[in-house]
Amino acid sequence: MTPALLSGELRELYLAGFARIQQEFTATGNGRAAVEQRTALVDDIAGRIWERLLQPLANGAGKCALAAIGGYGRRSLFPFSDIDLLFLHPDRETEGRLKDPIRAFSQEMWDLGVKLSPTSRTLAECERFDPNNVESVIALLDCRFLAGNRELFVQLHDQVVPRLMLRDAQAIVQRLVEITRNRHARLGGTVFHLEPNIKDAPGGLRDYNVAHWLALIAALNQLQTWSEPEQLLPGSMRRQVDAALEFLSAVRCFLHLRHNRDDNSLTWAAQDEAANRKIGVNGDGALTAAGWMRIYFQHARAVHRICLQLLDEVPAAWSSLYRQFQSWRSRISTPEFSVVHGMVFLQQPAALQDPETLLRLFHFVAHHGVKLSTTTEQRIEQALPAIAATPPRGAELWIYLQEILLQPHAAEALRSMHALRFLTLVLPELKAIDALVVRDFYHRFTVDEHTFLAIEGLHRLQLSSSEWDKRYASLLTELEQPEMLYLAILLHDVGKGVAGDDHIASGLEMADHSLERLDLE
């Protein structure tokens, strides 16, 4: 078959398959099925091209292997995602001999109108770690055999990649952590953007990938063998993250097909349409854009939470300097709470049944700026149902809450309390603004995150070098009851979660309920 005939046949096959995927997604909204179907479609086409162009070259192609890597390797090809291919060679000689056939293979793929990212490497090159190109190493974690020399691929998968991860795990993870934290910082460091990028924003699909890679590298480093994906995370986390992946996959498919390109921006207009079509959501009844975004933020918060935990907890991520710093932090441990590598553990987990122990724990976090370990968070989640039966209130609650609000890391402690549903348990008025979207000039984030940022900004005044900030900081020190200012900020926007035109009046009424619960005037 001539190249022109081959290209025409494959293009027709691809376009027909893509149209079926689009129609099925429009009918069902199943994003996971759509990415799996597009992966299978590309697998079929890549196999056909290999069979016609490279397989006849028995002396050369028989020694070469074709592998899917990156998103394609993990069977996550969204409608307009790049297709990452690895042409794996035993040596330079074979690579040179197949240069032209591989170029022809790539051209056939490009003629389909897809974005192809082909890489040609020898087995020895795959074992080298370049700190400036950690993405190429990470992509191998998702490698998958497509065609050619299976034995060569097995060498890569079963020997080269595990050996690379064992030897360079600390450096690889350190670079992955740096890249991830820089991405988070570049995008505001919060899940709660009002128009997020659902791939790259904190809590997006990239965070899901990072969590998977970190857990997999840690498992490879410890067990020196591949682990099944469902074994990498604890069961409770796995269920939350799986639900989030289902939702985010549907949203990204929707955005790609809506924009007809690899565009992952969840704009106001896209949110309106997604809510109207109930993308990623089951059930009857209409859904507002704000209501739909609350569902998005719940899933994004779960993904971001596990990503941050693994960024902190995977041992290979800690440099020697970081270890020294965390060793100093471990000295702040108390008979109730121990600090290991900057993570808080409970000395007596059963003590969490006492609400005051839980309040002391969050005061400890607010004071020292440490984070809760995964184990501690799981213990809190297990204890909450019993605490919810008789939640703390009055002086018992206020004596600790006011101290939390006054600590330098109050905002982080409040975020943790909020994510674990403890904050809304003791101050139910805050449920109204949980992940609430308000489209106005004053809000770049959800209302609850806007509130925490205001408290965080107030605490940072005293650390600022700005003359204006220093003036405000001096005013802050003159307050006789600064805890009342922080409480006012915490409650200042709760009225926005109530239907009606006057959120100030609603907020004052809700604040009265909070003050009564705290036994305050």
Side-chain angles (χ1 to χ4, degrees), residues 332-339 344-352 354-364 376 400:
I332 65 178
S333 297
T334 70
E336 283 189 302
F337 315 120
S338 61
V339 180
V344 184
F345 292 83
L346 299 166
Q347 303 278 30
Q348 298 178 337
L352 275 187
D354 178 7
E356 290 194 31
T357 301
L358 188 52
L359 288 164
R360 285 195 297 272
L361 172 61
F362 285 116
H363 175 267
F364 186 85
T376 302
Y400 291 106

Side-chain angles (χ1 to χ4, degrees), residues 66-236:
L66 178 66
I69 57 176
Y72 181 28
R74 57 182 177 269
R75 290 186 171 87
S76 293
L77 275 185
F78 289 88
F80 290 95
S81 291
D82 289 6
I83 298 168
D84 296 317
L85 285 176
L86 171 65
F87 294 92
L88 182 64
H89 306 279
D91 49 51
R92 287 285 191 185
E93 182 182 353
T94 305
E95 183 179 10
R97 192 185 310 124
L98 294 177
K99 187 174 181 179
D100 289 338
I102 288 173
R103 184 183 295 115
F105 181 104
S106 301
Q107 188 61 56
E108 291 291 343
M109 294 291 290
W110 283 319
D111 287 344
L112 301 177
V114 301
K115 291 182 179 180
L116 179 71
S117 298
T119 301
S120 197
R121 277 188 260 170
T122 65
L123 196 63
E125 287 174 325
C126 289
E127 196 168 354
R128 297 173 192 159
F129 170 55
D130 178 2
N132 297 317
N133 188 19
V134 69
E135 293 86 355
S136 64
V137 173
I138 295 297
L140 295 178
L141 289 171
D142 297 308
C143 62
R144 181 169 60 87
F145 178 77
L146 292 177
N149 190 335
R150 185 178 289 274
E151 291 182 1
L152 185 64
F153 174 81
V154 169
Q155 280 186 268
L156 173 71
H157 185 272
D158 293 355
Q159 299 176 30
V160 170
V161 175
R163 191 162 57 232
L164 172 63
M165 295 302 159
L166 183 63
R167 187 190 67 224
D168 295 314
Q170 182 169 334
I172 292 169
V173 171
Q174 186 63 43
R175 284 292 297 132
L176 180 58
V177 168
E178 290 173 5
I179 290 169
T180 303
R181 292 200 186 281
N182 288 339
R183 172 171 57 83
H184 288 167
R186 187 176 72 253
L187 294 168
T190 178
V191 166
F192 300 101
H193 280 280
L194 297 190
E195 292 184 288
N197 180 303
I198 65 110
K199 177 185 176 183
D200 291 328
L205 284 162
R206 181 59 71 206
D207 271 9
Y208 172 86
N209 298 146
V210 169
H212 169 80
W213 294 328
L214 288 170
L216 185 56
I217 292 171
L220 277 171
N221 189 251
Q222 183 178 2
L223 304 175
Q224 299 181 34
T225 187
W226 294 90
S227 300
E228 293 298 324
E230 58 270 15
Q231 297 175 345
L232 294 174
L233 298 176
S236 59

Side-chain angles (χ1 to χ4, degrees), residues 216-331:
L216 185 56
I217 292 171
L220 277 171
N221 189 251
Q222 183 178 2
L223 304 175
Q224 299 181 34
T225 187
W226 294 90
S227 300
E228 293 298 324
E230 58 270 15
Q231 297 175 345
L232 294 174
L233 298 176
S236 59
M237 289 185 179
R238 181 79 263 165
R239 288 189 292 274
Q240 284 187 338
V241 172
D242 279 348
L245 181 60
E246 290 282 348
F247 180 86
L248 293 173
S249 295
V251 176
R252 192 178 182 198
C253 283
F254 158 73
L255 291 175
H256 278 207
L257 294 172
R258 183 179 189 273
H259 298 136
N260 204 34
R261 63 182 186 276
D262 185 5
D263 187 334
N264 304 294
S265 302
L266 195 50
T267 61
W268 297 131
Q271 293 170 28
D272 291 336
E273 185 178 341
N276 185 53
R277 292 176 53 182
K278 301 181 73 172
I279 297 296
V281 180
N282 297 319
D284 300 325
L287 193 62
T288 65
W292 185 86
M293 283 300 292
R294 274 186 158 175
I295 297 171
Y296 163 81
F297 288 125
Q298 289 167 3
H299 288 302
R301 182 159 49 193
V303 171
H304 192 49
R305 174 183 166 192
I306 185 60
C307 180
L308 290 180
Q309 287 172 340
L310 289 172
L311 286 173
D312 286 320
E313 293 183 4
V314 174
W318 300 318
S319 66
S320 58
L321 179 61
Y322 188 78
R323 285 179 184 275
Q324 292 173 19
F325 178 60
Q326 299 302 352
S327 175
W328 172 83
R329 276 193 165 178
S330 68
R331 300 173 194 171

